[in-house]
Amino acid sequence: AAAAAPRPPKGARAVVQVSPNPTTERGQEVTITGHCGGGKGLKAVIAGVDMKNPVLQNIRIVKDDPKGFVAKATLSPRIGNGVGPVFVDCGGEAGVTLLVTHV
C-alpha cells in the first residue's frame, strides 16, 4: 500500500491552482482558486520572484472565502516561456503552485 503524503507544516497549508496552466498567450486571463487550509481568507496573490516584473498583472480577489477562494489576473505582456511560482497568502497559511508559460 502506498503511504499517504505527509501533511504540510503549519503556515504552509493553503492549496492553490491556476487555470489554464500552461498558459499560451501574453495578456491571457487566468483564474487562481484554492482553499486556505485553516487560514483566515485570501489576503494576497503574488506571482514570480521578481517584484519589478511580475508574471501576473491586474490581480483581483473575487472571493476571499477560506474554504474556497477565487482570484483573476492577466499574464504579463512581457512574459516568455518558462515556469514560475504563484504564491497565496491566506492570513496565517500560505500556498504555492507553479505556472507554466508557453507563449
Side-chain angles (χ1 to χ4, degrees), residues 3-58:
R7 186 174 166 141
K10 184 155 180 54
R13 294 186 181 159
V15 174
V16 59
Q17 300 89 29
V18 178
S19 64
N21 192 3
T23 57
T24 57
E25 62 184 84
R26 293 174 178 98
Q28 182 176 11
E29 184 172 78
V30 297
T31 303
I32 301 106
T33 59
H35 66 80
C36 287
K40 296 178 175 128
L42 184 62
K43 307 296 183 199
V45 176
I46 301 166
V49 292
D50 179 357
M51 298 308 285
K52 291 183 181 180
N53 299 300
V55 173
L56 297 177
Q57 297 179 332
N58 193 26

Side-chain angles (χ1 to χ4, degrees), residues 42-45 59-65 69-72:
L42 184 62
K43 307 296 183 199
V45 176
I59 298 169
R60 309 163 309 282
I61 296 174
V62 176
K63 180 179 172 186
D64 64 358
D65 186 342
F69 60 75
V70 177
K72 299 276 189 176

